[in-house]
Amino acid sequence: MTAAATDTPGRPSPEPAYRVLLIEDDPADALLVEELLEDTGLRFELTTRTTLAEARTELAARAIDCILLDLHLPDMSGTETVTAVRELAPHTAVIVLTGLSETQAGAEAMAAGAQDYLVKGKVEADLLDRTLRYAVYRSQTERVAAEAQKARLHAEENIRLERGLLPQPLLSTSAVTVTTRYLPGAERALLGGDFLDVVESKDGLLHAVVGDVSGHGPDAAALGVCLRIAWRSLVLGNHRGPDLLNLMERILIAERGSQPLFATCTLLTVDPNAATATLHLAGHHEPLLTTLQGTSELTAAHGMALGIAPEVGIWPATEVSLPASGALTLYTDGLTEGHNGEKGERLGVEGLLALIRDLPPSDPAAHVDHLIDQTQALNAGRHTDDLAVLRLDWDTAGP
């Protein structure tokens, strides 16, 4: 039975109607509860169900603000009823209705998760009014607190992943400026599987990596963290080129378990003395080279992504000469796979280079930020993917 919401005369701004579910198999008690609700002056919508099974269907169909629960139902009785209802509606206020002889039932019901209890035959309209209001307020407060705690845990997990995916560059040289950016593909999402890092080895070589684990979410992010840490450790242990990629692939296979995850990456080694850069591409695209003449995509040999064909292990090297001043930009495909405005086409590398040509001169950090802003504006949220950018700038030309 459903009672229409009632308005109290003289109230200038009537509060929203409370959606009340009464689970009671005694028609006389159900009628008494309805009359008491009407006497409170509260605005309410009352639905009555006689069994827990019927209540389960009702709770699945719509939101309820407060449940008035009799402890003795045809299909369940005692505090187990409270437990069952709380499992069905964990964020809904529950007020238990007990009999006069059940002196301990109310306290046990609250211990089982009910917000409050009322004794049948001793309930007046004012008491029901206060109890229902407080129970609903308390359940709403608990829900807000639970959501806040979930948000805090989410933020803490993101911070831990950021620390693993976005480390501080390990450099002793001041001749190279490092700029990094990382944006998750979805708002409030965990960082995905993109990763980047820069370290300088004892021999003065500068090493950089940008990679992308397939998929999104915590599993991809955890694997990205693992590969990033493995890369830094292996580089500092003097592993290079195909040997380094082979070890990273073995680690990926061991860590991914039964999930069909793979990873692409670009390895870059810069020799400042020789003014050269050596590239190894594992299923990843080429970096961009910026000189005084402009920005273009480097031409480099390609190898297989990590984890696709574990026994192949062919990653050819490409060596390029570097100008006295310039920049190398490594990035993941989140920068190029978005839409190119209203045309319905993907931006692609050509579209990215066109954006770079139109950008005004600026420092590296501002340049990267402007470029990301432009790509996101063109995409307008239609394609969601993680985005990582690593830019290295140098100037050894002198005054």
Side-chain angles (χ1 to χ4, degrees):
M1 176 177 63
T2 302
T6 60
D7 293 336
T8 300
R11 238 179 226 173
S13 298
E15 61 187 342
Y18 288 98
R19 293 162 297 186
V20 181
L21 173 62
L22 173 62
I23 310 176
E24 171 65 74
D25 64 328
D26 187 322
D29 286 343
L31 180 60
L32 177 61
V33 169
E34 182 180 355
E35 291 175 348
L36 284 169
L37 281 171
E38 291 174 349
D39 290 341
T40 63
L42 293 172
R43 287 168 51 84
F44 68 91
E45 298 173 358
L46 178 64
T47 301
T48 301
R49 295 293 180 262
T50 60
T51 66
L52 187 62
E54 292 177 357
R56 179 180 290 107
T57 302
E58 184 67 25
L59 291 169
R62 67 190 189 100
I64 295 294
D65 296 313
C66 184
I67 298 170
L68 300 177
L69 175 64
D70 179 35
L71 288 181
H72 301 288
L73 300 173
D75 49 353
M76 189 172 289
S77 63
T79 56
E80 292 181 0
T81 311
V82 179
T83 302
V85 168
R86 292 290 291 173
E87 289 177 353
L88 293 173
H91 300 301
T92 300
V94 177
I95 301 173
V96 165
L97 305 176
T98 69
L100 291 171
S101 60
E102 299 175 300
T103 55
Q104 295 297 320
E108 292 173 356
M110 292 185 65
Q115 268 70 38
D116 212 330
Y117 72 96
L118 296 170
V119 179
K120 295 178 183 179
K122 290 189 175 182
V123 182
E124 297 180 354
D126 288 345
L127 176 59
L128 179 58
D129 183 320
R130 292 194 302 272
T131 302
L132 192 148
R133 288 175 185 271
Y134 174 73
V136 171
Y137 172 78
R138 180 180 170 188
S139 68
Q140 291 173 344
T141 302
E142 291 173 349
R143 181 174 66 252
V144 170
E147 291 174 351
Q149 175 66 6
K150 183 178 180 180
R152 283 193 295 271
L153 292 174
H154 180 97
E156 291 171 2
E157 187 172 2
N158 237 9
I159 289 171
R160 288 194 295 272
L161 287 172
E162 285 178 359
R163 192 178 300 119
L165 290 166
L166 309 175
Q168 289 296 317
L170 188 59
L171 301 177
S172 59
T173 180
S174 59
V176 177
T177 300
V178 179
T179 304
T180 62
R181 294 292 186 270
Y182 194 126
L183 280 76
E187 185 179 358
R188 293 190 64 192
L190 289 171
L191 295 177
D194 291 7
F195 59 95
L196 51 83
D197 200 357
V198 181
V199 301
E200 182 180 357
S201 53
K202 290 182 179 180
D203 54 11
L205 298 179
L206 193 69
H207 306 273
V209 64
V210 164
D212 184 359
V213 177
S214 61
H216 304 279
D219 292 330
L223 188 54
V225 171
C226 180
L227 290 177
R228 201 283 303 166
I229 295 173
W231 176 87
R232 175 176 283 204
S233 301
L234 291 168
V235 166
L236 294 177
N238 294 319
H239 293 277
R240 303 287 184 263
D243 173 49
L244 171 58
L245 288 166
N246 178 62
L247 291 172
M248 288 180 65
E249 184 172 59
R250 290 175 61 184
I251 291 170
L252 180 150
I253 293 169
E255 294 295 329
R256 72 183 178 184
S258 61
Q259 301 182 80
L261 298 175
F262 63 91
T264 67
C265 67
T266 293
L267 302 188
L268 171 69
T269 299
V270 176
D271 186 341
N273 295 325
T276 60
T278 302
L279 291 169
H280 290 86
L281 304 181
H284 212 77
H285 41 71
E286 297 90 336
L288 305 179
L289 175 63
T290 299
T291 67
L292 294 176
Q293 288 71 44
T295 300
S296 60
E297 186 179 42
L298 290 174
T299 300
H302 284 258
M304 186 74 68
L306 305 182
I308 296 290
E311 301 303 321
V312 175
I314 299 176
W315 297 286
T318 300
E319 185 174 297
V320 297
S321 298
L322 298 178
S325 62
L328 280 167
T329 302
L330 288 68
Y331 59 93
T332 57
D333 53 17
L335 191 64
T336 56
E337 288 195 346
H339 290 263
N340 189 7
E342 299 300 324
K343 302 176 183 178
E345 303 171 353
R346 299 296 182 178
L347 181 64
V349 177
E350 290 302 319
L352 183 66
L353 291 173
L355 290 179
I356 292 174
R357 285 193 294 269
D358 293 338
L359 286 177
S362 58
D363 64 86
H367 184 277
V368 172
D369 288 336
H370 290 158
L371 184 60
I372 293 174
D373 289 343
Q374 291 275 2
T375 61
Q376 291 190 322
L378 289 171
N379 183 46
R382 286 170 290 176
H383 175 73
T384 57
D385 196 4
D386 306 308
L387 183 160
V389 179
L390 189 158
R391 173 169 164 156
L392 304 176
D393 286 78
W394 65 90
D395 187 357
T396 59

